[in-house]
Amino acid sequence: MNTASSKSLRRLMMDNVLYICLLMMIVIIAIIAPSFLSLGVLTDILTQSAPRVVLAMGLLVVIISCGIDMTVGRLAGLCAIISGSLAQAVTYNLKFWPGLPEFPIWVPIIAAMLAGLLVGCITGSIVSKLRVPAFLATLGMQMIIYGASLLLINKKPNHSQPLAGYINPFSDFGTGSIAGISYLAIIAIAVMILVHIMLTRTTLGKNIFAIGGNREAAIVSGINVHKIEIFTYALCGFLAGLAGVMLAARTGSATPSYGEGYELDAIASCIIGGASFTGGIGSVPGAFLGVIIFNVINYGLTFIGLSSYFQYIVKGLIIVFAVALDMRKYAHHS
Amino acid sequence: MSELEYILEAHHVSKSFPGVKALNDVTLKIRPGTVHALMGENGAGKSTLMKCMYGIYAMDEGQILINHKEVHIAKPRDVMELGVTMIHQELHSIPPQNVMENVWVGRIPYRKVLGIQWVDKRKMYEDTRKIFDQLQLNIDPKAKVSTLSTSFCQLLEIARAVSFGAKVIIMDEPTSSLTETEAEILFRIIRQLKRENVAIIYISHKIDEILEISDEVTIMRDGSVVGTWNASELTTELIVNRMVGREMTNRFPPHNHTPGDVWLDVSHLTSATPRSFTDISFHVRKGEIFGIGGLVGAQRTELMESIFGLRPVASGDMTINGTRVGITCSKDAIQNGMALLTEERRAKGIFGVLSITDNIVMVRQNLKPDIYHGKTKILLDRKKRDADAHQYTDTLRIKAPSLKTRIMSLSGGNQQKVLVGRWLLTKPTILIMDEPTRGIDVGAKFEIYELMEALAREGKCVIMVSSEMPELIGMSDRIMVMCEGHLSGIVGREAATEETIMSLASTYKKKQGVEENEYRK
């Protein structure tokens, strides 16, 4: 009886290890600095996490289909530059495209997302059609995208200056809010809901799980594997474009260093959120929690007055710890 | 010679998984120099028992004795060092390596030159050669494993066990991927090992085989041992009855269907892949069970996959109900009413980490006309999906804790039934079943046979590729036999005997013999 209940308690803890981690961190931070538990701080965390949440959602879809996309961070950076350059006010004297008029706000947003989509389609085709291993194909693409960012921002007359001078609606998009919830958070939540519905409630989502679960069996089952694989990378690129817009709008600037290393955080978020590199497993709530945990660490450490350099050590520990627990959870199944 | 009565003993072993008592007070004793068969339906606990003895699972209760001394086993390496080796049901060969590296993996011989350890390739080659000669295996130790067929990989596993100098070898379904000729080689090896006082624990579903090779038989059911008998006291009927716990007189359901008009017609089909099949012509009637026999390497699976659009075809035609069909991908095939139950269940069949429901409806939900989307046309109707999954788990008697269970945690027989359900849901007119009963227990086998009968009675074409002679002869209306990618003959039900099929299956065998010898040197 005693052993049985302790066993089921252990199972319960293992199954919900993420929530427990998050709760423990919040409790520890709140004990040291009680003001952490205010609505303002929490919405702040949500707003700051928003671009990362959007990136993680795209990557989640790719990881479920048993792929990996290393481009998303740099792609978000490129798309931040594209959207920022098109969102500058005509009165700004260091305009990136001096000849162009001032555009309505939707032009920079759509342009960046289309750029992301295009790059995603190219990456997807390389992976799916040419069968280049996803890690290598996307690592190569990552470098190409970074190079493109550097070349683009070095264009005359800009000469690698950080972009600035956005039109007001664009800045408002990055910093404004409705009823205390920022636009960015709302977009991130909307993306999560849509991706969640797509993954769990549509044939497309089921096919993505099927390809990740067993590509050969998916081919036998008459699923158009190429089309869906390319779609996952296209979606991932599209969302990276959106994340780039969000970054540019929130910070009021853009440089090629935007989004650097974000892909690794996004991958880690998905994995500690229960997704598996072997494909076929993963969920939106899990990946979301993964992102939030990382940002609570970020925010919380500075909040309690510790150097933010500690965040890397804590993040690293959490990744190792979470995955180790996960392996134990599945150990007796295999 | 050893004076020991038992070389390996398991006493009162119990093991539970969440929700299931997999082993309940199991005792098994193995005498040296004997073949001890372990039988039981899937889920009876044979594999779990072996995994406990082998240190893959930790047992809850019980003890393991080797040479009458209690041993504590934490990991497979411990047992291997004590002289017990297991050959797994799933092959563990590492394909990119060559054969001899595979045999000696983990124990590769070294030679020290200039203070550096170099791989001693010559010794490795000679030692491998010696073992292969002893086992009379016709494999070049330097060949890449990836060029070998599945059956050779299996024999390689056995060669590796022999190289360990094992005193007990556990063989889990060793013949499931072997043809009869290859199985004969295996039996010869087993008899030789017996003479060298090696004990074999032999897990198999094939009763004929067990009666032929084993000395003692232990039968398990539902996690407990039913009993241990001398093989000479047993008959097929006794074994089956004790395994399933009920009377089971016939291995095949009554043959009770009449073929109608020609439905599928294949003419002069030639593969686009060199050295695959050439010029295959046959037809299948509605309501006919069409068997396809042959040895491993006869290109039967390749032919089936080509018909299903998974492999390219160089020339030839296919008609269904008199209409010419061009099938270039599996989707075309499925839309033309075809279904393919693949030979390799794990590699090409199941979506292991997905639920039973997902596995059952996966093909159907990609097909027109659509039945799984509600009014929105976007969202899947979960109730309808579950209802269909439920219907098939019921009619096919799939045993599972829930529809959400991951398919990989089911037994082989239940996995196979889920896959059958997947295809039945698409209402196919042509059902291709490639080795449909491989690795599944007697009860599930019979259910698959009954299902094939029922489908034939409904007027469907059932094409069954099988390496099991009794199954081919017992079930088929006609049997097409292939050899080395050629059609060597089609025999009717009345004329089908094991001898005729065997002789057809080895028509081109001599030619291959020459090639093999060339390959060897």
Side-chain angles (χ1 to χ4, degrees):
Chain A
M1 182 60 215
N2 211 356
T3 53
S5 66
S6 80
K7 242 183 195 172
S8 67
L9 182 73
R10 254 180 57 190
R11 275 187 68 80
L12 193 75
M13 283 183 60
M14 273 196 176
D15 288 346
N16 297 293
V17 64
L18 267 190
Y19 300 90
I20 295 166
C21 268
L22 183 61
L23 207 70
M24 265 167 40
M25 285 188 328
I26 292 176
V27 167
I28 293 169
I29 295 167
I31 288 170
I32 301 172
S35 60
F36 184 74
L37 286 180
S38 71
L39 198 66
V41 173
L42 295 183
T43 51
D44 231 32
I45 290 176
L46 204 60
T47 307
Q48 287 211 352
S49 321
R52 291 170 182 274
V53 169
V54 172
L55 278 184
M57 290 305 125
L59 248 168
L60 175 70
V61 174
V62 172
I63 289 176
I64 288 173
S65 76
C66 202
I68 189 78
D69 191 345
M70 301 298 291
T71 66
V72 292
R74 291 299 187 190
L75 185 54
L78 176 64
C79 293
I81 295 170
I82 291 172
S83 67
S85 71
L86 293 171
Q88 286 173 324
V90 78
T91 50
Y92 184 61
N93 52 8
L94 291 171
K95 215 162 171 299
F96 190 82
W97 310 100
L100 289 183
E102 199 170 288
F103 291 112
I105 178 174
W106 57 267
V107 171
I109 297 177
I110 300 290
M113 295 203 297
L114 287 181
L117 182 71
L118 178 71
V119 174
C121 284
I122 296 169
T123 314
S125 305
I126 295 171
V127 173
S128 183
K129 291 278 186 189
L130 303 183
R131 300 299 290 147
V132 178
F135 181 79
L136 294 172
T138 60
L139 195 65
M141 284 299 287
Q142 183 199 62
M143 293 176 191
I144 293 169
I145 291 163
Y146 183 48
S149 293
L150 291 172
L151 282 172
L152 179 62
I153 200 136
N154 194 33
K155 187 187 84 71
K156 282 177 205 166
N158 195 60
H159 296 301
S160 301
Q161 291 302 304
L163 301 181
Y166 296 155
I167 52 172
N168 285 335
F170 193 71
S171 308
D172 286 347
F173 169 73
T175 51
S177 61
I178 302 177
I181 305 173
S182 64
Y183 295 135
L184 296 188
I186 292 170
I187 289 174
I189 291 166
V191 167
M192 279 196 294
I193 292 172
L194 288 176
V195 172
H196 182 69
I197 290 174
M198 182 201 77
L199 283 177
T200 56
R201 299 292 308 276
T202 68
T203 308
L204 176 63
K206 295 290 180 190
N207 288 347
I208 292 170
F209 275 99
I211 291 170
N214 189 342
R215 196 173 188 271
E216 289 293 316
I219 293 171
V220 174
S221 300
I223 294 171
N224 193 333
V225 172
H226 288 310
K227 205 167 93 185
I228 290 169
E229 278 178 341
I230 293 172
F231 168 81
T232 61
Y233 286 93
L235 177 70
C236 194
F238 182 76
L239 291 177
L242 177 58
V245 175
M246 293 163 90
L247 283 172
R250 195 187 75 205
T251 56
S253 180
T255 71
S257 69
Y258 272 40
E260 184 181 356
Y262 278 32
E263 67 278 351
L264 297 176
D265 280 358
I267 292 167
S269 304
C270 292
I271 298 300
I272 69 171
S276 162
F277 272 136
T278 49
I281 307 174
S283 77
V284 167
F288 172 64
L289 265 177
V291 177
I292 292 298
I293 285 181
F294 279 177
N295 270 277
V296 166
I297 296 169
N298 248 349
Y299 207 93
L301 287 179
T302 36
F303 210 85
I304 60 178
L306 271 175
S307 162
S308 63
Y309 297 151
F310 277 109
Q311 60 167 298
Y312 290 105
I313 291 171
V314 179
K315 273 187 192 173
L317 286 174
I318 290 209
I319 294 171
V320 174
F321 183 68
V323 175
L325 266 184
D326 220 40
M327 298 307 285
R328 284 193 56 170
K329 197 160 86 185
Y330 292 114
H332 52 83
H333 286 300
S334 63
Chain B
M1 278 288 156
S2 169
E3 299 299 315
L4 294 167
E5 189 180 5
Y6 298 111
I7 175 102
L8 176 66
E9 295 158 84
H11 286 284
H12 307 291
V13 174
S14 292
K15 169 76 187 168
S16 292
F17 294 112
V20 214
K21 185 123 194 178
L23 290 178
N24 188 10
D25 194 25
V26 169
T27 297
L28 181 73
K29 297 173 181 175
I30 310 296
R31 295 175 202 274
T34 64
V35 176
H36 195 115
L38 191 56
M39 301 198 72
E41 293 195 67
N42 277 339
K46 300 164 304 206
S47 294
T48 312
L49 176 62
M50 289 305 115
K51 284 178 178 169
C52 283
M53 292 169 80
Y54 206 58
I56 296 172
Y57 293 149
M59 49 194 183
D60 299 339
E61 280 165 56
Q63 49 181 185
I64 305 288
L65 276 64
I66 293 177
N67 294 337
H68 296 307
K69 277 194 276 299
E70 184 172 359
V71 288
H72 295 280
I73 295 155
K75 54 183 190 295
R77 190 90 209 178
D78 298 350
V79 204
M80 275 152 82
E81 273 160 17
L82 292 164
V84 181
T85 306
M86 178 156 165
I87 295 164
H88 292 270
Q89 208 166 351
E90 288 95 31
L91 302 173
H92 283 200
S93 299
I94 309 157
Q97 290 186 325
N98 68 27
V99 168
M100 57 187 188
E101 282 165 354
N102 207 286
V103 171
W104 297 101
V105 65
R107 304 161 294 150
I108 289 182
Y110 290 106
R111 198 158 42 116
K112 233 179 181 170
V113 178
L114 301 173
I116 302 169
Q117 290 193 321
W118 303 84
V119 174
D120 192 345
K121 284 202 173 164
R122 187 176 300 157
K123 179 171 162 43
M124 194 154 72
Y125 183 87
E126 292 305 325
D127 289 353
T128 315
R129 194 66 282 160
K130 235 178 268 166
I131 292 167
F132 284 178
D133 283 345
Q134 177 193 346
L135 302 179
Q136 296 177 38
L137 282 181
N138 218 349
I139 310 175
D140 178 2
K142 283 181 179 164
K144 289 266 179 252
V145 177
S146 51
T147 62
L148 298 181
S149 65
T150 326
S151 50
F152 275 114
C153 289
Q154 175 87 56
L155 293 173
L156 199 59
E157 288 274 307
I158 293 160
R160 184 191 297 162
V162 172
S163 76
F164 263 102
K167 281 180 289 192
V168 181
I169 299 179
I170 304 169
M171 297 184 179
D172 194 353
E173 298 268 354
T175 58
S176 64
S177 55
L178 303 189
T179 60
E180 299 208 352
T181 331
E182 288 160 336
E184 278 308 319
I185 299 177
L186 175 70
F187 292 162
R188 199 196 61 231
I189 293 168
I190 289 177
R191 290 193 187 99
Q192 191 169 339
L193 291 169
K194 255 172 76 173
R195 280 194 292 277
E196 288 163 25
N197 212 30
V198 174
I200 313 277
I201 302 178
Y202 193 93
I203 302 176
S204 176
H205 290 301
K206 296 182 184 170
I207 298 168
D208 306 343
E209 224 174 77
I210 298 272
L211 291 175
E212 182 184 340
I213 195 77
S214 58
D215 303 298
E216 285 183 303
V217 180
T218 293
I219 295 176
M220 293 181 73
R221 188 192 329 144
D222 301 330
S224 303
V225 168
V226 179
T228 301
W229 294 272
N230 280 326
S232 52
E233 304 166 17
L234 292 170
T235 63
T236 306
E237 228 166 52
L238 279 172
I239 291 177
V240 172
N241 290 346
R242 283 167 183 164
M243 262 164 62
V244 296
R246 59 179 183 267
E247 294 287 320
M248 192 177 244
T249 40
N250 288 315
R251 287 177 65 187
F252 301 104
H255 198 84
N256 191 13
H257 59 266
T258 27
D261 300 332
V262 172
W263 185 261
L264 171 72
D265 190 81
V266 175
S267 63
H268 306 294
L269 209 63
T270 297
S271 171
T273 317
R275 301 191 59 176
S276 191
F277 58 87
T278 36
D279 195 24
I280 305 286
S281 302
F282 66 94
H283 64 266
V284 186
R285 296 171 184 280
K286 285 170 83 170
E288 181 178 47
I289 299 175
F290 188 74
I292 301 181
L295 303 171
V296 168
Q299 305 292 321
R300 294 168 297 168
T301 297
E302 288 75 4
L303 174 65
M304 292 302 114
E305 289 184 348
S306 302
I307 289 174
F308 201 68
L310 292 169
R311 288 170 187 265
V313 169
S315 62
D317 276 327
M318 245 174 18
T319 63
I320 292 176
N321 197 18
T323 319
R324 193 169 172 272
V325 288
I327 290 172
T328 54
C329 67
S330 54
K331 186 143 199 157
D332 296 345
I334 296 165
Q335 241 130 22
N336 277 299
M338 286 194 194
L340 173 65
L341 193 68
T342 49
E343 175 188 15
E344 291 173 77
R345 196 160 50 230
R346 286 164 62 97
K348 291 186 176 176
I350 62 168
F351 299 106
V353 293
L354 304 191
S355 71
I356 292 174
T357 303
D358 282 341
N359 268 285
I360 289 183
V361 302
M362 196 57 83
V363 177
R364 184 62 189 89
Q365 76 186 2
N366 277 291
L367 272 187
K368 301 261 180 292
D370 176 73
I371 52 169
Y372 289 119
H373 292 87
K375 291 168 215 119
T376 55
K377 297 284 166 216
I378 298 169
L379 300 187
L380 287 166
D381 182 349
R382 283 189 276 201
K383 280 198 191 119
K384 172 76 177 132
R385 278 162 54 92
D386 282 341
D388 279 352
H390 205 88
Q391 187 198 331
Y392 280 96
T393 43
D394 271 3
T395 50
L396 297 171
R397 291 193 286 274
I398 296 167
K399 284 178 220 150
S402 98
L403 289 178
K404 291 201 177 99
T405 308
R406 285 182 176 168
I407 190 173
M408 64 184 182
S409 62
L410 301 184
S411 68
N414 281 314
Q415 286 181 358
Q416 188 73 318
K417 288 198 237 168
V418 169
L419 296 185
V420 169
R422 176 192 290 171
W423 289 113
L424 290 186
L425 192 51
T426 68
K427 306 264 179 294
T429 52
I430 301 164
L431 189 65
I432 305 170
M433 303 170 111
D434 198 349
E435 304 285 358
T437 63
R438 173 173 294 175
I440 69 178
D441 58 73
V442 181
K445 258 186 190 178
F446 193 78
E447 288 176 61
I448 300 266
Y449 295 146
E450 274 182 323
L451 195 89
M452 289 166 67
E453 264 296 323
L455 289 168
R457 263 199 302 277
E458 283 171 31
K460 311 219 150 136
C461 305
V462 179
I463 302 176
M464 175 184 62
V465 175
S466 175
S467 298
E468 283 187 47
M469 292 283 187
E471 179 173 284
L472 272 177
I473 295 166
M475 291 302 301
S476 316
D477 293 293
R478 287 181 302 145
I479 301 165
M480 172 169 96
V481 186
M482 290 176 67
C483 180
E484 302 291 306
H486 298 272
L487 197 167
S488 43
I490 297 181
V491 282
R493 185 174 174 76
E494 318 71 42
T497 62
E498 300 213 2
E499 290 72 39
T500 49
I501 294 173
M502 264 327 285
S503 70
L504 284 173
S506 42
T507 313
Y508 296 82
K509 219 39 189 181
K510 277 182 198 128
K511 198 183 84 196
Q512 192 212 15
V514 175
E515 272 170 23
E516 242 175 39
N517 284 335
E518 282 168 357
Y519 178 60
R520 208 174 145 174
K521 270 289 148 184

